[in-house]
Amino acid sequence: MNFLHLLSSEAVQHIIIHCLNISVWRSAEDQPAAQGSVRFKAWSGEVFEVGGDLEPEVIEDSCWIKDGRWHQTHFVFHSLDPTLLPVVDIYNLPNTTPGSHYHLEVGPVCFL
């Protein structure tokens, strides 16, 4: 991994959380991301989180919709510091209740 970090000037990774009747980022369409939402641990040990220096880009967030259908929240991690990626851990994943589920789709890291 160190070799890839040294040869690269930036890195990109996508993580999608597919969700059924459970919120992972914000609680309503017109609300900002909640402080208790998911957080992501970088390879370097730093944390991507709401309001932090390393807040991920969210290109879609429909998990707040609780209508019995699957939705998703799509995170993009793009960094000019390639040592931040890959994401190695995810914190604050929600507790599920009967009728709510989620699963993760963790994409590969593209080192540029």
Side-chain angles (χ1 to χ4, degrees):
M1 190 61 66
N2 290 338
F3 187 68
L4 286 171
H5 288 154
L6 289 172
L7 291 177
S8 305
S9 61
E10 58 187 288
V12 178
Q13 183 175 18
H14 293 255
I15 294 179
I16 301 171
I17 301 177
H18 299 273
C19 48
L20 176 68
N21 297 327
I22 197 161
S23 173
V24 296
W25 191 248
R26 57 189 175 146
S27 58
E29 182 177 23
D30 58 350
Q31 297 293 314
Q35 287 299 325
S37 62
V38 292
R39 298 180 321 171
F40 303 88
K41 183 177 179 184
W43 177 267
S44 63
E46 297 176 66
V47 177
F48 293 93
E49 61 186 328
V50 174
D53 293 338
L54 300 173
E55 186 169 342
E57 179 184 358
V58 180
I59 60 173
E60 179 184 351
D61 180 17
S62 58
C63 283
W64 57 269
I65 302 170
K66 297 181 175 102
D67 62 359
R69 296 183 188 158
W70 284 93
H71 297 280
Q72 67 183 18
T73 301
H74 187 157
F75 299 94
V76 178
F77 302 86
H78 179 247
S79 176
L80 296 177
D81 179 359
T83 63
L84 292 174
L85 296 175
V87 168
V88 295
D89 203 354
I90 302 175
Y91 304 123
N92 290 348
L93 285 167
N95 294 322
T96 58
T97 58
S100 69
H101 304 282
Y102 64 86
H103 67 90
L104 304 173
E105 182 180 338
V106 180
V109 178
C110 179
F111 291 99
L112 306 168

